[in-house]
Amino acid sequence: MARGKLRIYLGAAPGVGKTYQMLEEARRRCGRGADVVVGYVETHGRPHTAALLEGLEVLPRATVSHRGVELEEMDLAAVLTRRPAAVLVDELAHTNVPGSRNTKRWQDVEEILEAGIEVITTVNIQHLESLNDVTEAITGVRQRETVPDEVVRAADQIELVDMSPQALRRRMVHGNIYKPEKVDAALANYFREGNLTALRELALLWVADRVDEGLERYRADHDIDSTWATRDRVVVPVSGGPESDTLMRRAARIASRRAGGEWSALYVTRDDGLQGVAPDRLADLRAKTEQLGGSFHTVVGDDAAEAILDFARAENASQVIIGASRRGRVSTLLRPGVGERVVAGSGEIDVLMVTHDYAGRRAGKQRPSGEHLGRRRLLAGYAFGVLAPVVVSLLLWLAADADSLPTEAMVLMVLVVATAMIGGLWPAVIAAVLSSLLLNFLFTPPLYTWTISDPENALTIVLFVVVGIAVATVVDRAARVTDRARKARAEADALTVLSHSLLNTSDDLAGLLGSASELFGATGAAIVRRLPDGTEEVVESHGTPPPSATPCSVEVDDDTVLLLAAAHPTPSQRRLLKAYAAYAKVITERRSAIVADMERHRLADADRTRTALLAAVSHDLRSPLAAVRAAVDSLRSDEVEWSAEDRAELLETIDEGTTRLTGLVENLLDMSRIHTGSVTASATEVGLADAVHNALHLIEGADRVQVDVLPDLAIVADPGLLDRVVANICENALKYTPREAAIRIDAARQDGRVTLRIADSGPGVRDHDQERLFAPFQRLGDVPQQDGVGLGLAVARGFTEAMGGTIATEDTPGGGLTFVLDFPAAGSSTDAVSPVQGPRVVSHP
């Protein structure tokens, strides 16, 4: 089924007549016999609007109950059942009553369109989602009911219902929009003339953009390439030279003279990529363009004039602004410049040639010919260009015959080409002129004079000079291009290495500095940070750190600079140096981000610990304190005569409460010491059997613990910390082990280590929860709230690691959990289990 069409009447404000015109369209269609129904129209009590409903088929509305109130909405099911050719649906941005089929009315409209029914609807400009913030800034009212822009953009037809602010305010005064009691407030607030003018401009510009999009689609569908100057669009090509800013400002002024004018800056880069401005200059041009209200574009093309015209036609530009050429008059006569070729091929596009301060002269110092070859090679070229023609001419003169002038000319031409390959253009020009003089003097009759009797010989010598210079020019240009290509390849390779390093998220600053030193031939490199007190701090260095005044330097950021112990860099090298500096900035920012993230995690952990501590204090400290306080108050009361048994029971309650408080406070203090890193272990030789017995005296229920530890088994540990570790683990095990079952402790020595195992027969712990056992304030949800705050095992791990040991868990065969503690053995270590003399001690304290 074909999708229905959507027609929208768009207005700048309420009361401009959107619903009125929608109803008039419905009456016109009904007069032509079309099947049109009213799905939902809101008249707002306006009599002229209500009068237009007479004679139209109006579908009954649906009633929706919300919070005890009966509200009316469009009956979507009735519309789909009736299936008219077209349906009127007012207020597209309306939010339906909760409990309706869809949340928004535009969603109802989508369903109707999918059913193949045409929809005619209305909406105000302030209800478009993209303009919500703008209209709020204008009117001071934020619209809660909005419609996505793509819904309105997808309409087959958008008709603007326009009215001047003055006419709309008069309509308001006459009572045609709001009731009389609301008119004064509306005119003083939302319907101020300035508000209405701004909303009207928004609506006009938005519709104009949609019309422009439709025009572009039409031109594309019909392959129309010619310029239709429906709107001022200015294109200004920029070369990156100093005149670019002047041209862009001129383009911005011209585009601003008419409403809706647009301008674009265009930079054309060559296909081979061997010539172009620095990336930072392009960034400056882009920023300047955006600052002046234009858009910046970059295209690739070998012919700059053709690329400019192609872009201008694609953008439907009405005008191109070209800067006056910086080339001289002779150069322009010999070879037309970009501006002249743009004018010649512009056709229906206007071209404005703008003069500037740099017209007629090249910007900047020109690079001398042969500079790319180096001083030694240039001198060698001059020497070869002078000596080689003389030596070869003498050799040819010794073997010359009367009719050999073409032969001598070709041999000397080879020398000219060779000179151009060695030393560039000017040595080859010297070689060509000198060779022509030698041809004249030694081989052209009359010999040994500067006169030429035969006109053909004269022409030969003149052609020799011309061809020699032309060939030298071609060879020199080819050498220049080759040199640029080589440097571009080196630059591309270096950037490729940097890109791979960046993708691999390496943060090796020293390696980066080493790579830069190798590329630039530097003896050293450094990243230096300037401190607020004027001193400098070396962040990272490689090789011999260069002085701060080195000519090869570039800023990484406002306070950091990259230094290389090398000579002044060339422009291409400086671009690479800036790329290295940018990568160095990424590394330093990444390091800072890592440090900040670690600090954030530390603060988050501290916050969680603080929250858990407060929870512990709020309950686990309060409960024993309340019990102690109640027992003390009872003993001090004179109103009750307590028996000896009652007094003993109250004193026992006080003792239990204080014991519980003491253990809780000790765990909290120990956990605080562990978090702050202030736990210091005094390592000494400790008898493991004695240590276990001492620890068991600290806990209740020690009679349920079976100890199977050799009496002379000793470890290196802190006695006090070891007692707390064993006591906390045994106390935890007793909580989970049934009263009829026992806790087993045994130990063994192997490879210079002693393993202590504490096994219970409780319910055990799932594998993925075993590591969580040692987190502070962790109960895993299976211990009653009054049984501690979950610090015992966390303290045990912290103390064990402080003594150089480890603690882990494993399942107990037959059910339960076994804690495995590993400590350094006292004395020399062995590779096997140490044999122990004497009977094994098995005790049941």
Side-chain angles (χ1 to χ4, degrees), residues 21 31 137 170 174 189 222 306 393 420 632 703 778 812:
Q21 291 200 21
R170 284 196 300 271
H174 294 159
N189 294 284
H222 293 79
E306 184 179 350
S393 296
V632 171
D703 55 326
Q778 183 62 255
T812 301

Side-chain angles (χ1 to χ4, degrees), residues 74 76 92 94 96 101-113 147 151:
M74 179 181 68
L76 177 59
L92 181 63
H94 172 74
N96 294 331
R101 181 166 174 173
N102 293 307
T103 304
K104 295 285 188 176
R105 182 163 292 167
W106 63 264
Q107 294 171 325
D108 295 339
V109 169
E110 285 294 317
E111 286 198 38
I112 297 174
L113 293 172
V147 59
V151 174

Side-chain angles (χ1 to χ4, degrees), residues 2-16:
R3 178 182 169 89
K5 293 185 177 181
L6 176 62
R7 180 171 182 172
I8 297 178
Y9 286 92
L10 177 69
V16 295

Side-chain angles (χ1 to χ4, degrees), residues 384-397 404-420 428 430-443 461 464 468 471:
F384 185 85
V386 172
L387 298 177
V390 174
V391 173
V392 172
S393 296
L394 290 175
L395 294 176
L396 292 173
W397 174 74
S404 62
L405 181 61
T407 302
E408 283 85 4
M410 294 305 298
V411 171
L412 292 176
M413 181 62 70
V414 172
L415 291 180
V416 172
V417 174
T419 304
I430 292 175
V433 174
L434 181 58
S435 298
S436 67
L437 295 175
L438 291 171
L439 280 175
N440 178 20
F441 189 78
L442 296 176
F443 304 105
I461 292 177
F464 175 86
V471 171

Side-chain angles (χ1 to χ4, degrees), residues 433-700:
V433 174
L434 181 58
S435 298
S436 67
L437 295 175
L438 291 171
L439 280 175
N440 178 20
F441 189 78
L442 296 176
F443 304 105
T444 305
L447 299 178
Y448 317 124
T449 66
W450 300 111
T451 59
I452 303 174
S453 59
D454 190 347
E456 290 186 2
N457 291 337
L459 179 61
T460 300
I461 292 177
V462 171
L463 291 177
F464 175 86
V465 175
V466 173
V467 173
I469 295 176
V471 171
T473 302
V474 173
V475 172
D476 180 70
R477 181 173 297 176
R480 287 172 176 270
V481 172
T482 302
D483 181 67
R484 286 199 298 266
R486 178 182 57 80
K487 292 181 178 179
R489 174 62 182 271
E491 182 176 346
D493 290 342
L495 292 176
T496 300
V497 172
L498 281 177
S499 301
H500 282 298
S501 300
L502 188 60
L503 290 175
N504 294 332
T505 64
S506 171
D507 60 351
D508 183 11
L509 263 182
L512 177 69
L513 295 178
S515 174
S517 299
E518 181 180 357
L519 179 66
F520 291 96
T523 58
I527 301 287
V528 177
R529 180 180 292 117
R530 293 184 289 265
L531 301 178
D533 58 2
T535 60
E536 294 182 346
E537 173 192 14
V538 178
V539 179
E540 195 74 57
S541 64
H542 174 81
T544 304
S548 58
T550 178
C552 191
S553 65
V554 65
E555 286 192 354
V556 176
D557 54 37
D558 294 338
D559 301 321
T560 312
V561 63
L562 169 62
L563 305 176
L564 284 177
H568 282 283
T570 63
S572 61
Q573 288 177 330
R574 179 159 293 277
R575 288 197 298 269
L576 276 177
L577 192 59
K578 289 183 178 180
Y580 273 91
Y583 186 29
K585 182 178 181 180
V586 171
I587 292 177
T588 55
E589 289 179 347
R590 184 184 299 149
R591 288 183 174 181
S592 300
I594 292 174
V595 172
D597 188 62
M598 292 175 62
E599 179 66 13
R600 182 180 61 83
H601 282 294
R602 188 189 67 79
L603 293 176
D605 290 341
D607 186 65
R608 284 194 296 268
T609 301
R610 187 181 300 108
T611 302
L613 178 60
L614 291 175
V617 171
S618 65
H619 184 278
D620 294 275
L621 288 179
R622 184 172 55 189
S623 297
L625 280 175
V628 171
R629 178 64 183 271
V632 171
D633 289 344
S634 299
L635 289 174
R636 296 179 60 184
S637 175
D638 297 332
E639 298 178 358
V640 180
E641 186 68 28
W642 300 103
S643 63
E645 292 81 6
D646 293 337
R647 293 177 65 84
E649 184 177 349
L650 290 173
L651 289 173
E652 184 178 355
T653 300
I654 295 173
D655 182 65
E656 290 178 354
T658 54
T659 300
R660 183 178 174 189
L661 284 174
T662 300
L664 183 59
V665 171
E666 286 178 351
N667 278 338
L668 290 173
L669 292 176
D670 290 339
M671 200 67 239
S672 177
R673 292 167 57 201
I674 292 171
H675 270 290
T676 57
S678 58
V679 176
T680 303
S682 300
T684 184
E685 183 175 332
V686 180
L688 191 54
D690 293 336
V692 171
H693 284 291
N694 293 336
L696 294 179
H697 286 298
L698 301 176
I699 64 174
E700 297 181 2

